[in-house]
Amino acid sequence: MARLEWIPALAVGNAEIDEEHKTLFALINKLDDLRMSEMGRRELRDVADELAKYVHVHFTHEESLFTAKGYPGAAGHIEEHRAFIGKVAEFHARIIGGDPKIAGEMANYLRTWLSRHIAMSDRKYRPWLADQAKGN
Ligand SMILES: [Fe+2]
Ligand SMILES: [Fe+2]
C-alpha cells in the first residue's frame, strides 16, 4: 500500500489544520508499518488508540471553526465526520478485541477516506476560510 504523503495541493489555508492532517497521515502510515512488520499487538493497539483520539481532536478543531464563523457547508461536512468516527470506532474495537489482522484493512480504509475527504470536502472550505481571514 502506498504511503500517505501530504502535498501542498492539500493545503486548506490554515497552518494548524494542515499540521493536523500531516499528523493523521503519519499515524496511518505508522499503523500500516506495524502491520507490515508484524510487531506486537500492544503497539498496534497504542497506534489505533492514538488515531481514534486524534481524529476527534482534529474534527473538533475543524468543526469549531465552522460553528464560530458560520460555515454554510457545516452540516454536510460534520455528517461526513460523524460517519467516519463511527467507522474508526468499529475498527478500533476490533483491534482492541484482539483482531490484529484488521489493521491492514483499517489503514487502507483510513487512507482512502482521509485523502478523499481532505481533497474534496476540506478543500471546499478553503475559499470561505480565506474570506473570513480578510474579515468579509
Ligand atoms: Fe480535516
Ligand atoms: Fe473535515
Side-chain angles (χ1 to χ4, degrees):
M1 177 163 93
R3 294 178 71 77
L4 276 170
E5 212 179 315
W6 190 90
I7 49 167
L10 294 175
V12 298
N14 176 308
E16 275 179 48
I17 297 278
D18 288 339
E19 283 308 313
E20 290 168 12
H21 287 155
K22 289 176 198 172
T23 302
L24 283 167
F25 279 7
L27 282 168
I28 295 169
N29 286 334
K30 205 163 156 191
L31 189 76
D32 197 45
D33 289 345
L34 284 173
R35 177 187 68 91
M36 305 289 271
S37 67
E38 291 181 8
M39 285 174 73
R41 286 181 178 198
R42 170 87 207 229
E43 207 173 335
L44 193 61
R45 287 213 311 239
D46 287 348
V47 179
D49 284 351
E50 211 180 328
L51 250 171
K53 282 186 200 136
Y54 203 76
V55 161
H56 268 282
V57 168
H58 171 62
F59 286 175
T60 304
H61 184 196
E62 253 178 24
E63 291 169 17
S64 71
L65 289 177
F66 298 164
T67 43
K69 295 171 177 177
Y71 176 48
H77 196 125
I78 291 171
E79 220 169 274
E80 284 184 38
H81 286 176
R82 290 294 159 274
F84 185 66
I85 281 176
K87 196 75 188 166
V88 169
E90 200 183 294
F91 279 123
H92 187 212
R94 286 172 73 181
I95 286 180
I96 299 291
D99 184 4
K101 288 192 296 294
I102 204 69
E105 206 185 306
M106 181 177 183
N108 211 4
Y109 180 86
L110 265 54
R111 184 183 70 131
T112 309
W113 191 94
L114 196 63
S115 1
R116 192 173 298 155
H117 180 79
I118 295 173
M120 310 292 289
S121 302
D122 286 355
R123 289 272 298 175
K124 217 181 261 176
Y125 66 65
R126 186 190 166 112
W128 168 81
L129 207 58
D131 276 352
Q132 298 301 312
K134 278 184 245 150
N136 293 343

